[in-house]
């Protein structure tokens, strides 16, 4: 397994991380036993970074990871690093009601996460979305106090814009920014990525396969479950979906020429963007995990990168990456 640093102050982690959200929420039903087996397989393969959020199925995902860690061999369990997002507020019906970045709330969220995960510290802790009602300095300051107390090792950010990143970094060292980055979501390249690099902050890139859209496995006639987030995502709607899958068809030709899958090519492209970027793959099954790991062996030379850029040009995606009401919560888009 290759390793990369999370910025200049964060830990060394596997070059691919495992995003665990889909094992509990937002993509339809998941198989608990297969999810745990997938986490175990990832750890066995040398994946060290496990990413979750305390609001993924209202704590279910953290408990799932905790169960997987308890049942994993000691050697791999000790190598696992937890990356946790907090702050999203839910209601009993599964609805969303904002974000809470108040210092007291930060510490409350952390206490519950530590218990659900069954760990004595969280390796990287971050608010899922910037709380517009609380200065980021206060939220980060509270995490810094958790670091000082030994409950958290490193501070992260999520979906923060360049100005917010600078303000946060003025308070305490920031290990990484977690943000969507893929062939069809390249908004960070203009201001956010240069700011992170200037400040020595790493990037953990989620959505590298755009929620399966550019995985090569999503079909034009696929019917999504009622509880699948993608049913509301603009990029999966009507004509947008057809146009985006046209891009996938073009990317498939490039992948086929190199004996790789579409997913491996898309992941390898993100890996090629810099040693300071760690893609998170949202595999829910072992076969998808093993496919994703194959991206580590795919070398994209200059000709390959040119062909990929031609197949999927920047800004070619049809539709926004979230519905309008959720886009409004993204500090990175303002």
């Amino acid at each position: 397994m290759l390793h990369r640093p999370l910025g200049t102050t964060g830990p060394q982690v596997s070059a691919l991380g495992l995003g665990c959200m889909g094992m509990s929420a937002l993509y339809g039903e998941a198989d608990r036993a297969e999810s745990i087996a997938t986490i175990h397989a990832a750890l066995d393969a040398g994946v060290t970074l496990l990413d979750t959020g305390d609001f993924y199925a209202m704590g279910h995902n953290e408990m799932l990871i905790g169960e997987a860690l308890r049942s994993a061999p000691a050697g791999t369990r000790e190598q696992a690093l937890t990356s946790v997002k907090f702050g999203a507020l839910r209601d009993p019906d599964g609805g969303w009601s904002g974000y809470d970045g108040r210092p007291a709330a930060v510490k409350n969220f952390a206490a519950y996460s530590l218990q659900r995960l069954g760990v004595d510290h969280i390796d990287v802790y971050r608010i899922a979305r910037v709380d517009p009602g609380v200065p980021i300095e206060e939220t980060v300051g509270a995490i810094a106090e958790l670091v000082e107390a030994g409950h958290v090792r490193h501070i992260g950010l999520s979906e923060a814009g360049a100005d917010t990143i600078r303000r946060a970094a003025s308070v305490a060292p920031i290990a990484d920014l977690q943000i969507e980055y893929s062939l069809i979501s390249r908004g960070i390249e203009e201001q956010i990525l240069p700011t992170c690099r200037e400040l020595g902050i790493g990037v953990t890139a989620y959505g590298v396969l755009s929620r399966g859209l550019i995985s090569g496995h999503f079909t034009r006639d696929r019917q999504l479950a009622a509880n699948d987030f993608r049913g509301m995502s603009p990029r999966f709607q009507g004509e947008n979906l057809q146009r985006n899958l046209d891009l996938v068809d073009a990317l498939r030709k490039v992948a086929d020429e190199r004996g790789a899958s579409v997913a491996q090519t898309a992941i390898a492209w993100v890996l090629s963007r810099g040693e300071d970027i760690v893609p998170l793959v949202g595999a829910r099954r072992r076969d998808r995990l093993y496919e994703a790991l194959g991206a580590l062996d795919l070398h994209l030379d200059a000709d390959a990168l040119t062909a990929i850029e031609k197949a999927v040009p920047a800004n070619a995606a049809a539709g926004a990456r979230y519905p309008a009401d959720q886009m409004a919560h993204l500090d990175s888009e303002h």
Side-chain angles (χ1 to χ4, degrees):
M1 174 59 67
L2 302 174
H3 291 80
R4 292 182 169 186
L6 284 190
T8 56
T9 64
Q12 288 279 329
V13 301
S14 51
L16 288 181
L18 182 65
C20 299
M21 179 186 75
M23 298 176 179
S24 298
L26 297 179
Y27 293 144
E29 298 301 320
D31 183 312
R32 185 181 188 87
E34 180 61 23
S35 295
I36 291 174
T38 300
I39 294 173
H40 286 169
L43 295 173
D44 288 343
V47 173
T48 62
L49 186 63
L50 303 179
D51 183 77
T52 185
D54 64 8
F55 50 92
Y56 293 164
M58 282 67 79
H60 177 278
N61 201 238
E62 289 181 318
M63 291 188 288
L64 181 77
I65 291 173
E67 181 180 348
L69 291 176
R70 286 192 300 274
S71 55
T76 57
R77 180 174 65 247
E78 292 164 1
Q79 296 299 314
L81 302 175
T82 53
S83 170
V84 179
K85 293 178 290 298
F86 68 87
L89 304 177
R90 308 295 300 272
D91 63 37
D93 296 319
W96 305 82
S97 51
Y99 297 89
D100 193 344
R102 295 171 302 150
V106 172
K107 295 174 182 179
N108 178 77
F109 290 133
Y112 282 90
S113 287
L114 289 165
Q115 179 68 27
R116 287 189 289 256
L117 287 164
V119 297
D120 62 8
H121 69 271
I122 296 166
D123 292 286
V124 189
Y125 202 48
R126 70 187 86 244
I127 190 166
R129 299 288 185 268
V130 176
D131 181 349
V134 177
I136 193 64
E137 292 87 347
E138 293 184 15
T139 301
V140 168
I143 306 176
E145 292 177 4
L146 289 171
V147 172
E148 185 175 356
H151 303 305
V152 169
R153 293 281 169 84
H154 304 280
I155 304 170
L157 297 171
S158 177
E159 287 290 354
D163 290 343
T164 301
I165 294 168
R166 291 186 184 282
R167 288 168 52 200
S170 73
V171 175
I174 305 299
D176 72 321
L177 169 72
Q178 187 172 122
I179 195 163
E180 185 168 359
Y181 187 42
S182 73
L183 271 169
I184 64 171
S185 296
R186 297 176 60 174
I188 72 169
E189 293 176 343
E190 184 175 345
Q191 292 186 342
I192 292 174
L193 185 55
T195 298
C196 287
R197 286 176 167 164
E198 175 190 338
L199 299 174
I201 297 171
V203 170
T204 44
Y206 76 87
V208 294
L209 297 179
S210 301
R211 300 165 186 84
L213 181 59
I214 61 171
S215 68
H217 300 297
F218 202 94
T219 59
R220 295 178 186 271
D221 58 353
R222 180 170 173 177
Q223 298 297 309
L224 295 170
N227 60 344
D228 193 319
F229 159 80
R230 293 171 292 189
M232 299 180 294
S233 173
R235 290 182 176 173
F236 288 83
Q237 306 302 311
E239 183 61 28
N240 285 351
L241 176 62
Q242 303 308 316
R243 288 171 56 191
N244 291 329
L245 290 180
D246 287 343
L247 298 174
V248 176
D249 289 341
L251 182 61
R252 192 185 307 277
K253 295 177 182 178
V254 179
D256 287 346
E257 289 173 357
R258 285 155 181 83
S261 73
V262 174
Q264 290 167 344
T265 304
I267 295 167
W269 181 87
V270 179
L271 283 164
S272 76
R273 298 298 88 193
E275 292 291 321
D276 54 350
I277 297 175
V278 175
L280 299 173
V281 295
R284 300 193 293 172
R285 302 183 341 223
R286 283 168 286 180
D287 59 335
R288 295 287 194 253
L289 169 69
Y290 296 140
E291 179 186 15
L293 291 172
L296 294 169
D297 298 320
L298 179 59
H299 173 66
L300 299 177
D301 59 18
D303 289 343
L305 292 171
T306 298
I308 291 170
E309 295 274 354
K310 184 177 179 180
V312 187
N315 303 315
R321 56 194 183 100
Y322 284 99
D325 59 336
Q326 295 182 39
M327 289 291 286
H329 289 292
L330 298 178
D331 183 75
S332 56
E333 295 287 339
H334 300 157

